[in-house]
Amino acid sequence: MSGQLPITFQELIQLTSLNIDVSNISFNSLTLESDKYICIREQVGGRNQVCVIDIKDPAQTFRRPISADSAIMNPENKIIALKAGKSLQVFNLEMKAKVKSCTAPEEIQYWRWITPFDLALIGESSVYHWSIEGTSSPVKQFDRHSSLNGTQVISYRVNTKMNWMALIGISAPQGRVVGSMQLFNKDRGVSQPIEAHAAEFAEVTLEGASQPTQIFTFATRGATSSKITVVEIDHVEGNPAFPKKSAELIFPAEAVNDFPVAMQASAKYGVVYLVTKFGFIHIHDLESAQSIFNNRISGDTVFTTTKHDNGVIGVNRKGQVLSVKLNEETVIPHILASRNIDLAFKLATRGNLPGAEGLYAQRFESLMQNGQHSEAAKLAAKSPQGILRTENTIERFKNLSAVPGQLSPILQYFATILETGELNRLESIELARPVLASNRKQLLEKWLKEDKLECSEELGDIVYQHDSVLALSIYLRANVPPKVVLCFAQAGQFDKIIQYCQRVDYTPDWVALLQQVARADPDKAKDFATSLINQTPPLIDLDKAVGVLMSQNLVQQTTSFLLDALKENKEEQAHLQTKLLEMNLLHAPQVADAILGNNMFTHFDKPYVAQLCEKAGLYQRALELYEDLSDIKRVAVHSEILGVDWLVNYFGNLSVDDSLAVLREMLKHNLKQNLQVVVQVATKYQEHLGAQRLVEMFEEFRSNEGLYYFLSSVVNITNDPAVVFKYIQSACATGQIKEVERVVRENEHYDPEKVKNFLKESNLSDQLPLIIVCDRFGYVHDLVLYLYTNGMTKYIEVYVQQVNSSRLPEVVGALLDVDCDEGVIKSLISSVAGEFAISSLVNEVEKRNRLKLLHRWLEAKASADSQDSAVYNALAKIYIDSNYEPEKFLSTNKLYDPQTIGEYSEKRDPNLAFIAYSNGQCDDSLIRLTNENGMFKQQARYLIRRRSLELWTKVLSGDSDYPLNQSHRRQLIDQLNSYVLPEIQDPEEVSIAVKAFMAADLPQELIELLEKIILEESPFSENSNLQNLMILTAVKADPSRVADYIERLGNYDAPDIAQICINSELYEEAFNIYKRYEVNTSAIGVLIDYISSLDRAYEFAERCDQPEVWSKLAKAQLDGLRIKDSIDSYIRAGDAKDYAEVIDVASRAGKYEDLIRYLSMARNNIREPLIENELLYAFAETDRLSDLDDILRGPNIAQIQVVGDRCYTNGKFQASKLLYQSISNWAKLASTLVRLGDYQKAVDCARKANSTKVWKEVNMACIEEKEFRLAQICGLHLVVHAEELSELIRLYEMQGHIDEICSLLENGLNLERAHMGMFTELAILYTKYRPERIMEHLKLYWSRINIPKVINACEDAHLWPELVFLYVHYDEFDNAANTIIQHAADAWEHASFKDIIVKVSNTELYYKALRFYLNEQPLLINDLITVMMPRIDHTRVVNMFSKSDNIPLIKPYLLSAQSTNNKSVNEAVNDLLIEEEDFQGLRDSIDQYDNFDVIELAQRLEKHELLEFRRVAAHLYNKSKRWRQSLALSKKDKLFKDAMATARLSNSTEITEDLLRYFVESDNKPCFTACLFTCYDLLRPDIVMELMWRHGLTDQAMPYFINYTRETQAKMDMLSKEVEELKLKAAKSEGSGSSGLPTDGTGLLGPGGFGNRLMITDSQGRSTPQPGNRNLPF
């Protein structure tokens, strides 16, 4: 809009650009509760969702899948309220949590947020408020008035106190929209019906009122009049009465049916915005109800509004989010233009708006002139933007005389401002002086707390003289860092200094401040220094901070400070770490010890600190820091001071060699004292140091005790045999026999041979250690030999009786080897009660052929019921060898080992071996024995009794261990058939034998076996299993016997045998079996499937005449493609189960007549959709449409759609028509009608189907047949689908129907679902085929087309004006400008080009445009260049026009651009002015704009023929301070006045005196006198006096000397007075003494602090005289 309008109006968002469908932009689906969020319910892809748009950042739009009747966003927070029926729910979207939910008491017609925590619910009969806080349910407020019955509720308003409520609804009786409002007062419980369309509660502050006045405004569009009304509610006592106000609402003639829909009040401006349905905005003043402005802001309905930035924001039907507010710059001038001065005055005052400055100034002058000073003060106090609150106003009030008994005018002025607002800087300073002078400081404190004063440094300086704390507060508010820091320092508030300086970014002298704090308070100094260092970056160097603290000898504070400062342990701070430790080791060693103990630092000078630690007696810390071995050895010997545990751990940090060296030093220094520590170290680090080296160390010092204790601690953990051996040696040496015994028993790592020999050589009193070693490591034989030889037989008894009885066999063996007496051995064996292996004892004795030695002992063990097999094995061997009834023992005893005894007996007696193997079931050994010895009968009997299939298999088939011997097998089978089988009575034994023969694949042998069992009389002749087996075996081995067996046998399983025969291709035998047992279906199956004789099968079926037989035959006939015979058979069988296969075969063969017979039968038996489907299709194929129709009319379960599609595909369109009609499939019916050529009916069906695919098909067919009217009907349903549009247009274009497609799209634009693609494609068609219509189309619909796409089309069609139009509306101003320039003949228009060129982003286009205008439109170039001036490079423009010699053409531009003081512009202007001989303009130019080559221009003008230009040259020399050149030029042209002015400007005594001499020499006395006056300050009196005396110029020089004498005398008087004042001041200072502050008055911050005299005045307060301001007597 125009900038002169009193409103600012803008489009904030276009909702359609955020993919919001226009259909979802309505009162029922879009809600706007505040200016933060827009909430829209929409449906996308059949799913309901809610879209929430952040108005300030539309990019943050988000969608949630929510199904609800209504959704409204909280006005402040991301909280959404949802309504579905009576169910209400509130969710916090940020926390993703439910806030509250409830069920409404009744159906809710309308709801909205009335506060961020309360919802208003408008039911059908009542109004409720529901708080989302707590757990309360909706609370009823009032019942709806009957006047709102039948209305649509559009608004609900409450006031801030929530005691007044207004409910508004609209209805349309008799064609007019009537507004009905119910106004309810909660305090009185009273309702009032009012005719109104919109309402609003607001507050205004009336003149003279102590509190705001509550008002209610509403608007009505009646049948005869329309008005806005403002009334007061809840009158406050003491406030002026507010009379009812009303004003007429003006509606334009074209808006006959328009009415108000919303009102929003602005508290800042005191106005109300009224929005109407037709998009008009009315702005009225609330206090007077007068109209300020009304106009249309939207061409579409604005259906929802809310407050926004003291204005109003709303959404219209097109999705535009519009905002309107008062334009603060133009609203007052707009009101003044309507001559409503009073309204303009009040609005400017209320809203602090500009534009009424002149009005305020006039009233102020009028009041001041009339003596109404109090009113004038009030007027100035409330003047908008403080236009009257100036220094001039203050001076005027100060100069007014006070009325006795009243406040002075200036104080009245200040009091008036303080009542309503705050004082500005000047006012605050002027008020502070009298207030402080009257000692009423508390008033200033009160005003400061109330923020009534504007703080400044000047105000603080004034207050500081009376109260430094109050001054500090002022300095803080005024942001005067130096003064603030000074006040903090003087108050000792050092901790606040850093915070303040960081906040205001000020850097004082931190070192000086720290020094001051250190002198005043050491503890605070430490904290202050820490604070300085902890800043990022540090505010003070760490070294400097330490230096300051140490300069005051603050060891404790320095330590604390450094501990905190050095906590990061940085390498660059190593010197400070050393310093910290040094100072504490010298003054507080315990602190240093704690610091070192905490391992805080690692970069200090460790050798130096270690020396200090050693001197301070901190040996532990010294050792931690020393690295030199000599130092470590020197300190480590003090083990009595060092902690033992720490010292032991310390050795873990040393190398192996260093550790051993230190240990040797400790033993050498004091063996007794340090032995314990050395042993502990050796123990802990023996793996690291090496046990052998440690042993050598102890042996070096001959410390057996140390060696023993060291080894005792490591012997249990070491793996070194030498260490263990050393320990055994040391233990023996020290008499620790028990320890030796323990070690040899428990240790696993010593060398047993070496230890055994050592113990034998040691000749110990107790041989138990030797016994243990020999027992553990198997040296029993050596042990027995050693003991027996040395006569220590008692230790042999001890060994086997007490130590290890399990070694008895070995001991006995050893004793037998040394020829010990048998009696001793028997006695020893009998005496051992412990456990030992009898088998081992037997083996030891048996190896030496002395087994009979154990005979009696073994029988004793057997008599004692021993279960040990070794006892019985030994006895069996003794009985076999002695032939003492071995058969009896082997047969009856079960405890010996059969395998062992069998092997022992094989060579002695095979029969004994057979007995042993048989009893123990040693199968392999038994089979081997019987095969080797020809014992096949025994083998056969054993196999039968054994009942082991695996054993039979091994015998009959052999395996890898026992290869098959055919001769042995044959002998076994013969023995089995001849002798063993007749003896068998157990069927299990027969079964296993038969299975074995089967498994061995011996069919012939099996047949022999079975014939022996079955055909000969036996208990197993009628066994069915054996008969089955016999037949099966014959089938496999000898098929010729099968038929005989079938006839002779009668107890076999016929079906199974028949199937086996089939599998073996014995089909006739199988058929005979089925036929013998009357299994007819199987019999015919054999004929069909295996014998393949359908004729025999037909004869067999005729003989049987069974349905299942016919079914079997029918299936075979069908498979053989005997379709008619098959169908006949199926019908005789009444079998429909193979209907699918019958249908498939018959359909392929085209046997539809036969198929109809079959399907008719099948339909009576089975209700399957496929049967009815095929029957219908068969009728269609045979054109029996009447039969097809009969089925369709009757009950059926056919899949008519499928059948119809099949008929359609195969061209049976009449049949498919009947089928589709029966199921109302309009889509397919339409396609069918198209094929039948009935296009009108096809369109009707397509309309019923409403399917895009159908519309496309019908449309295509209509186009082919030139049925364009019908095609357009179809096309209108297609163009609304964007994805179908391109294909549809391509179809019309390919066939050349351009007018028809254009007509179609033009008609489609009026559709409700018209989309961007339609507008775009129509525009592209116009560019191709109807270019004369494109511009009109673009102007109407540019906002709804895809501009980039149309741009390409216009460019291809060379439609340049249209292309420019699109570029402009697409904000591609660069391309628009280029297009105009390149195609000026068609696209250029001056006003349009000016609007475009200022919006381009590429500034190169400016210069291209200038060249274009220079060539094409030179007379308009200044108009163009004026609009481009803010962004062009003036130098480049000047150069451009200079090259083409067209500078005069752009003179207006150059004069305008000269304000930038650009060198090129200035020089071009100056050249033009010289060329035009405009010397005055040239002088003005060079005076105002100095950016040019002054000397070059001066040199040019110096030679100009006109005098005035030469004066300008002299002037230029003056500006460049080339005084002599200027003087020479002035002298040459006799311009003596200019010459004197030049000398005065030079401020040079030399130049001035030279000019004076020139005047004397040229005898120019008047100029001499004038020069004395003009250059008075620059002339030396002695020179003037000399020239006067020498040239007789007394009269001319006398005035000069008179003035000089007077001035000299005045100076002398002034100096005398100052000396007297200084003497008095010095005397007073000596009497008053020191004040506690520096006597030079500098303060902490040096010169410039408080109390200094201002330097712009002299000691008397007078201004210093300026040169040239002399009061001459003439």
Side-chain angles (χ1 to χ4, degrees), residues 246-258:
S246 63
E248 183 180 0
L249 285 176
I250 301 173
F251 288 88
E254 66 270 18
V256 177
N257 297 320
D258 197 10

Side-chain angles (χ1 to χ4, degrees), residues 373-374 377-378 403 406-417:
H373 301 147
S374 176
K378 293 179 181 179
V403 178
Q406 296 183 6
L407 287 174
S408 62
I410 184 63
L411 293 181
Q412 290 183 21
Y413 169 69
F414 291 145
T416 303
I417 297 176

Side-chain angles (χ1 to χ4, degrees), residues 316-328:
N316 66 12
R317 292 285 188 185
K318 283 187 177 180
Q320 292 177 297
V321 182
L322 309 172
S323 74
V324 179
K325 64 175 290 189
L326 289 181
N327 187 331
E328 295 188 350

Side-chain angles (χ1 to χ4, degrees), residues 499-553:
Q499 300 175 11
Y500 172 75
C501 290
Q502 288 179 336
R503 191 171 72 247
V504 300
D505 194 20
Y506 172 67
T507 307
D509 185 350
W510 296 111
V511 175
L513 278 174
L514 182 58
Q515 286 175 339
Q516 180 182 350
V517 178
R519 289 193 295 268
D521 189 334
D523 291 331
K524 282 190 176 181
K526 172 260 176 182
D527 295 336
F528 186 47
T530 301
S531 301
L532 293 174
I533 290 299
N534 287 340
Q535 303 306 312
T536 304
L539 301 178
I540 188 173
D541 183 70
L542 186 56
D543 290 326
K544 290 182 180 180
V546 173
V548 170
L549 295 175
M550 288 306 297
S551 66
Q552 303 296 322
N553 198 27

Side-chain angles (χ1 to χ4, degrees), residues 877-918:
K877 291 177 181 179
I878 292 170
Y879 293 152
I880 291 171
D881 288 340
S882 61
N883 197 23
Y884 183 71
E885 297 181 349
E887 294 86 354
K888 178 181 178 182
F889 180 82
L890 294 178
S891 300
T892 58
N893 193 286
K894 302 299 183 184
L895 296 178
Y896 63 88
D897 181 6
Q899 185 67 38
T900 301
I901 300 304
E903 292 174 355
Y904 186 79
S905 303
E906 280 188 17
K907 300 301 182 181
R908 292 169 173 79
D909 187 347
N911 289 316
L912 295 177
F914 178 80
I915 295 171
Y917 287 147
S918 179

Side-chain angles (χ1 to χ4, degrees), residues 1309 1316 1318-1327 1330-1355 1357 1359-1370:
L1309 298 184
M1316 180 180 288
M1318 295 166 58
F1319 294 91
T1320 303
E1321 294 298 336
L1322 180 58
I1324 293 173
L1325 287 172
Y1326 282 159
T1327 62
R1330 303 290 183 268
E1332 69 278 0
R1333 299 169 65 179
I1334 180 64
M1335 181 58 84
E1336 179 185 1
H1337 179 74
L1338 294 178
K1339 288 181 178 178
L1340 287 173
Y1341 303 115
W1342 66 267
S1343 63
R1344 302 191 66 179
I1345 66 174
N1346 184 342
I1347 293 180
K1349 197 170 181 181
V1350 181
I1351 284 175
N1352 294 332
C1354 289
E1355 195 169 359
L1359 301 176
W1360 310 120
E1362 291 79 359
L1363 183 62
V1364 171
F1365 178 85
L1366 291 171
Y1367 277 139
V1368 170
H1369 285 79
Y1370 198 54

Side-chain angles (χ1 to χ4, degrees), residues 987 1013-1014 1019-1029 1051-1052:
I1013 296 172
I1014 297 173
F1020 310 109
S1021 297
E1022 296 300 322
N1023 188 293
S1024 62
N1025 291 333
L1026 292 177
Q1027 289 188 10
N1028 291 336
L1029 180 60
N1051 196 26
Y1052 54 86

Side-chain angles (χ1 to χ4, degrees), residues 112 114-115 129 156-166 183-187 200-203 213-216 233-234 307:
R112 66 177 292 258
I114 52 177
T115 74
H129 287 182
Y156 178 74
R157 297 285 182 174
V158 297
N159 66 341
T160 54
K161 297 180 180 178
M162 297 185 70
N163 62 333
W164 286 87
M165 305 156 198
L183 180 63
F184 176 75
N185 180 249
K186 188 175 182 179
D187 298 335
E200 174 70 314
F201 294 95
E203 294 180 349
T213 297
Q214 305 292 320
I215 61 171
F216 175 63
I233 57 175
D234 291 342
K307 292 181 175 64

